[in-house]
Amino acid sequence: MAAQNRTRRMIACLLAAAAAALLCAELDRRITDAPNRSDARQNLQSAWNLYAWGVFSKSGPSGAKPVPDNYREPLPVLVTAAYMGLLGEGGACIDGDCAGRGFDSRTLKRINLLWSFAVLCASAALAYRLSRSGPAALVVMVLVFACFLRDPANIDRLTTEMAASACMLACALCFGVFATRPSPWTSLCAGAALGGLALTKAIFLYAAPLMIAGAAVAAAMRTTAAPARLMKYAGLMCIGVLLTAGPWLIRNAVHFGSVQISDRGGLALYTRALINRMDAFEYRAAFHSWGPGAYRRLVRGTPLHVSSLEYERGGRAARLNCSADAGFAGDDTVAQRQGRTEDAVSFYAVARAQRVRMQHYFEQAGRPNAAHAADAYLRKEALEMIARHPFRHMAASLPLAWRGMWCFYGGGFWTAFGAAAYAAFVCVCLYAALKQQGELVAFAAAPLCLLVLNALLTNSLPRFNTPAIPFMVISLAVGVQAVRRRTGAAAQQENSRDS
């Protein structure tokens, strides 16, 4: 019997891997040779500098060894650099010349297929672990492909969202194993997975204590392990985090005098603190501006509607508009590049203009690493602003959570599906807490921290929450299955009473 079960599990794993490979083949068709821009370009340049010079730096090609920085999270950059090493310069560069001819974008973006395959397989494994249903796991894979991976912003750019999702899923699987079988090895593995996640999305370094405590609580719910032993395992988890993230933190402490993952936390927090300054009209407009098209159509003609003119220069909600389509977008770009905060309109541009202004200030003062000093200054200012108005900060978290909710790719049906999946995840979190379901606590720890911390500490752009999409899809699938099973059981009881 045990041999038969092992054979069935092996066949199921092979079928899941084959399905993931087929979906990745479809994703490969969606990768183009369009160049990477903005954040994706920085990730690409950082990977090239690591491959060519052995230095983590986003500095552009200059013919000289770049100056180290810690602007981008290191794990996705390291994986891309390793991929470049396998390709060689002839495969990574156009005609073997990255400096003169540029990168072979389509070939390099195929590293996303690795992350996609990992996301699909881990999603299926986690779905099966919670549902014990092969068909449910297969449906989850297809839905994750449809509403997350096939988005051109993910598959056709070297961003970190798919890498973060893969690491979150790996972390959830490790936490789930720890919750059911706590031991020194499962503790270290869970901690190492959490450290890898922090190296992919820096916000998880701040979430690490909460997640480790959550894992200990999950184990206490699932097992009869003594509290003292669970505390020891939590300590081993901390060691696991330090084994993976520690070398990078030490490197940053040596080079920049700061123990942190990346150098953008101050800017993100300062932008978030500026959003707290919304007045009553802007607060109402935030739900309209940051909601999906279906919501804006629904509230048209009601007091919740906001005219498009209000989002332009001189409008009462112009500060919310950071779109490239805004009439003042060009002026905002110039103002932020020149550090003229008084001429910037949107909260987004004001924060970046302030960063440039402070960087110039520290450069003129002769401070080493002026960019890091400017980011540290923004972090300090942001914390003081939040401390002065904590209730405004919490109030602003509501429209920002609403903004991050609409992270699913596609409109129409997928908007409604995303809302249902988000609601299902919230229900899973509440059920796990109320019913003390340890495995569900382990499942929800990483995505819940991501959603909450994005609303509290960032401007909560929808793409920030996309790594949590597989968890929301799994929650909906497991919820639907639970309802069907309960309905079927109730129907059987009714039939047995009738007979």
Side-chain angles (χ1 to χ4, degrees):
M1 189 66 180
Q4 288 181 344
N5 289 336
R6 283 196 298 270
T7 302
R8 288 173 182 172
R9 284 197 295 268
M10 185 176 297
I11 292 174
C13 290
L14 291 174
L15 289 175
L22 288 174
L23 292 173
C24 285
E26 174 58 27
L27 289 173
D28 185 51
R29 295 177 57 250
R30 298 170 184 268
I31 299 176
T32 70
D33 58 0
N36 286 282
R37 305 289 186 193
S38 188
D39 290 359
R41 173 71 185 193
Q42 292 175 357
N43 287 324
L44 176 56
Q45 189 64 52
S46 297
W48 171 254
N49 287 336
L50 182 59
Y51 163 68
W53 298 96
V55 176
F56 276 96
S57 173
K58 68 178 180 66
S59 300
S62 62
K65 188 174 182 178
V67 177
D69 64 36
N70 64 331
Y71 196 77
R72 308 302 311 183
E73 289 92 346
L75 183 58
V77 170
L78 180 62
V79 172
T80 305
Y83 176 54
M84 287 180 171
L86 293 175
L87 293 172
E89 291 189 28
C93 311
I94 299 176
D95 296 333
D97 182 12
C98 283
R101 307 279 295 179
F103 298 103
D104 184 343
S105 294
R106 190 174 194 279
T107 298
L108 289 174
K109 284 188 286 190
R110 280 179 166 163
I111 190 63
N112 286 336
L113 297 177
L114 171 66
W115 295 118
S116 298
F117 185 80
V119 167
L120 290 168
C121 291
S123 295
L126 196 54
Y128 182 80
R129 183 177 179 87
L130 295 179
S131 67
R132 299 299 175 188
S133 168
L138 181 61
V139 169
V140 164
M141 291 177 70
V142 173
L143 290 173
V144 167
F145 162 84
C147 63
F148 175 34
L149 298 179
R150 71 185 178 101
D151 184 352
N154 293 318
I155 192 61
D156 202 32
R157 293 179 63 205
L158 286 176
T159 53
T160 60
E161 275 64 43
M162 287 196 296
S165 188
C167 291
M168 286 173 63
L169 289 161
C171 196
L173 287 168
C174 289
F175 273 35
V177 173
F178 169 76
T180 53
R181 294 191 298 275
S183 71
W185 284 112
T186 58
S187 304
L188 286 171
C189 287
L194 179 54
L197 178 56
L199 292 176
T200 306
K201 280 293 180 186
I203 200 169
F204 281 101
L205 183 64
Y206 307 106
L210 292 174
M211 291 181 62
I212 290 172
V217 169
M221 292 176 178
R222 288 278 299 173
T223 67
T224 57
R229 179 171 293 183
L230 291 178
M231 289 182 66
K232 182 183 76 172
Y233 291 156
L236 289 173
M237 264 194 214
C238 294
I239 293 174
V241 172
L242 292 176
L243 287 175
T244 47
W248 181 256
L249 296 174
I250 293 171
R251 177 255 191 193
N252 291 341
V254 170
H255 281 287
F256 313 110
S258 176
V259 182
Q260 57 183 12
I261 298 291
S262 79
D263 210 12
R264 294 171 292 137
L267 175 64
L269 193 60
Y270 189 76
T271 306
R272 174 65 179 83
L274 289 178
I275 292 173
N276 292 344
R277 296 178 176 178
M278 290 187 296
D279 59 29
F281 183 86
E282 287 172 320
Y283 192 86
R284 173 163 62 90
F287 288 95
H288 178 269
S289 175
W290 297 338
Y295 172 79
R296 290 193 290 272
R297 289 190 295 272
L298 183 66
V299 301
R300 190 175 298 157
T302 73
L304 297 177
H305 176 70
V306 178
S307 168
S308 59
L309 295 176
E310 297 286 8
Y311 297 112
E312 293 298 329
R313 188 185 295 275
R316 290 178 291 174
R319 295 193 296 177
L320 299 175
N321 191 358
C322 61
S323 170
D325 297 328
F328 53 84
D331 294 338
D332 257 10
T333 300
V334 173
Q336 70 185 52
R337 286 177 180 172
Q338 297 179 355
R340 294 186 284 107
T341 55
E342 66 278 6
D343 294 328
V345 177
S346 68
F347 290 127
Y348 182 91
V350 170
R352 278 149 185 77
Q354 180 69 350
R355 177 179 62 174
V356 171
R357 170 180 282 184
M358 296 312 302
Q359 187 170 337
H360 289 166
Y361 170 80
F362 287 118
E363 286 172 352
Q364 293 169 3
R367 286 281 294 274
N369 202 336
H372 173 75
D375 193 76
Y377 172 84
L378 293 182
R379 183 184 298 106
K380 177 177 177 292
E381 284 291 302
L383 290 173
E384 290 177 357
M385 292 163 63
I386 292 170
R388 285 195 297 268
H389 301 286
F391 296 110
R392 296 192 70 169
H393 184 77
M394 296 306 299
S397 298
L398 293 178
L400 284 164
W402 166 263
R403 184 186 201 181
M405 176 178 172
W406 309 107
C407 56
F408 283 63
Y409 175 65
F413 166 79
W414 294 110
T415 299
F417 176 79
Y422 194 102
F425 176 71
V426 173
C427 290
V428 165
C429 292
L430 293 174
Y431 181 82
L434 294 174
K435 298 294 183 178
Q436 298 186 359
Q437 296 291 312
E439 194 156 3
L440 290 180
V441 171
F443 162 78
L448 181 62
C449 284
L450 181 72
L451 300 181
V452 172
L453 291 181
N454 277 339
L456 288 173
L457 303 179
T458 76
N459 58 343
S460 197
L461 293 175
R463 71 179 178 88
F464 293 175
N465 285 344
T466 54
I469 287 177
F471 294 88
M472 300 180 200
V473 174
I474 292 169
S475 297
L476 184 60
V478 170
V480 169
Q481 186 188 50
V483 170
R484 288 183 58 188
R485 285 176 175 172
R486 185 163 296 183
T487 303
Q492 284 184 344
Q493 289 180 354
E494 187 68 24
N495 291 335
S496 63
R497 281 198 295 268
D498 291 343
S499 61

